[in-house]
Amino acid sequence: MTLGLLGSHLGLAQAAGEPKTGVDTSLTTGVALTDEPVADEASLESEAEDGDPDAAPSAEDLALGADSTAEGPEAAPETAEDGERVGLEAGRKAACDERVKDVAGIPGAQFVSCASALEPAVELNADEEAALSQIEAPADTSEAESAVLAGAPDTGEAESQAVVQDAPDDTAAPADESADAAAAARPKPWKEPKWCIDAGVDSTWYIERMRGCGIWRAEVNAVDVRTGRKVGGIKYLVISYSFSARDSRTWAYQVRLLESSRWGRAVNGTKASGSASCVGKCKVVNKSFQAQTISKSAEPYGQFFMDTTINTAAAKQRGSGRSVASWTFSNPEWVAPSEPTRHATVDVHCDNALPGAPSQVGCVNLQAVPVISYSLTGPWPEVAKHIKDAQATGLPGKYGTTSYLTRLTDRKKIRENRGKACPSGSTLPRPPGKSCDEYAFASTWQGAKYGSGEFSRRMVNAKQNTDAGKALKGFYTYSRVLEGDRFLVWIR
């Protein structure tokens, strides 16, 4: 059942638009398909496997939920929760003109630097593609990300351990053994997901439930203060990469700067350095972006750790935060460093409100809609076929649409949803070995009682129904789906 990454957002869009199998029947909502029904009380119990939201999922439930979760990036909204555009600034040309005027009267001043704002790299040119081709990117980063978050350094540790990457020029390696040792001691950059390096992911943040990544372009130029003309410049790409964990209050953020081309004078020896801040319910607990040379063979990068500041002493707390990286460029020939370039992550939502794990704190990209997948050729084909047919009648939750299911966690309402779709006892007898499967799920606000009034039910193999319910319960925990959170169902 494991899907893994689909390679790129384009692949996901195609998968959503192209049905994998045909539909041989369709359901009339609200009609039970039963053949010579006979009561089977053992089956009735199996129908409620996902029904108690406050019960912690078993290890088996979590494993089934993990295997049933479809991972794949989707484009994030351009604005944050407070309406701010994520990461992109404007007005740099006017700021550069003012900067030149300000330093023109300083004795001995010859060059000043001007940094552009970030812009989406909608179409990569040959130099940018060459720069990206050198990046090693794994298809699955989850184990590495977990290790990074588990070993997150204490506040200030990264600052004290980071060393300056100070090559004597823009092409040579450190000249002496001490510089070599310093460069080797510096933490290595985290490897971004493969889908982030794909040329298609180049115009915005792309996000999954636990990670986000994107590619932007920018440049920094040297300006002659006497003439106001640019005399040299460096064009570069920014790879931004953020990841969190379903069971951690900490998330991480990395920016990496890749030179794509340079020209002219007064740019050799340029270095980048930076810092980070946090907006909303979060704080920076560790930051490392020491001065590093930028060149075709040297990629400056910064790494930051953020903690949520929600009040975890109280129950069911939620809050979002957005981390902001900031960096400047410096050069011995410039009168001063460049003005800062800033880039922000999408909003990261942290909580301690997960049913079944009330004391656990976790963080997700709430705008990334999680997807649970059932296969027509997998271990629960009768359940998958029922959902496929039910979705074909127009019921919500179909993958590739915006007709979402939203989680319901009130036990009484879940029972009422199930009771309307699959009443117990003689009202709706079950054939031997069968149990009643309802769609939309009873554990959603689109269920039989609290939804539109339309629903589907079918008698399916009881064990398949039980295990599919366990997978749903595990999916809720694995993807940290809270009360009212949206999700979709993909039938493969």
Side-chain angles (χ1 to χ4, degrees), residues 75 104 108 182 192 275 364 405 442:
E192 299 88 353
S275 188
V364 300
L405 297 176

Side-chain angles (χ1 to χ4, degrees), residues 231-411:
V231 296
I234 298 174
K235 294 184 177 182
Y236 65 99
L237 294 176
V238 179
I239 304 180
S240 293
Y241 172 35
S242 174
F243 54 90
S244 60
R246 61 186 56 83
D247 56 357
S248 173
R249 65 183 298 118
T250 303
W251 75 89
Y253 181 27
Q254 174 179 276
V255 292
R256 182 154 42 157
L257 315 183
L258 280 66
E259 179 181 316
S260 58
S261 64
R262 69 171 56 197
W263 65 279
R265 297 184 292 143
V267 290
N268 286 347
T270 298
K271 296 178 181 178
S273 61
S275 188
S277 58
C278 222
V279 178
K281 292 288 186 178
C282 59
K283 63 181 179 180
V284 180
V285 294
N286 191 274
K287 49 191 174 182
S288 174
F289 197 161
Q290 296 293 309
Q292 303 154 65
T293 298
I294 183 170
S295 72
K296 285 290 186 69
S297 59
E299 303 162 0
Y301 60 95
Q303 296 175 336
F304 316 106
F305 291 91
M306 279 62 58
D307 269 8
T308 180
T309 56
I310 61 172
N311 177 21
T312 54
K316 296 184 178 180
Q317 299 298 297
R318 307 186 189 196
S320 294
R322 183 168 71 254
S323 45
V324 184
S326 173
W327 61 92
T328 61
F329 295 94
S330 61
N331 188 288
E333 296 189 63
W334 302 345
V335 68
S338 69
E339 64 272 32
T341 299
R342 296 181 178 87
H343 195 230
T345 65
V346 297
D347 292 305
V348 178
H349 185 90
C350 301
D351 71 89
N352 64 345
L354 183 67
S359 61
Q360 182 191 83
V361 182
C363 301
V364 300
N365 295 324
L366 194 63
Q367 294 165 319
V369 179
V371 179
I372 184 171
S373 175
Y374 295 124
S375 173
L376 293 165
T377 58
W380 318 304
E382 293 186 21
V383 175
K385 183 66 166 61
H386 174 212
I387 296 173
K388 184 178 180 69
D389 292 346
Q391 290 179 343
T393 69
L395 291 180
K398 184 177 180 180
Y399 176 66
T401 73
T402 56
S403 179
Y404 302 110
L405 297 176
T406 50
R407 189 181 180 188
L408 170 65
T409 59
D410 184 288
R411 281 181 289 181

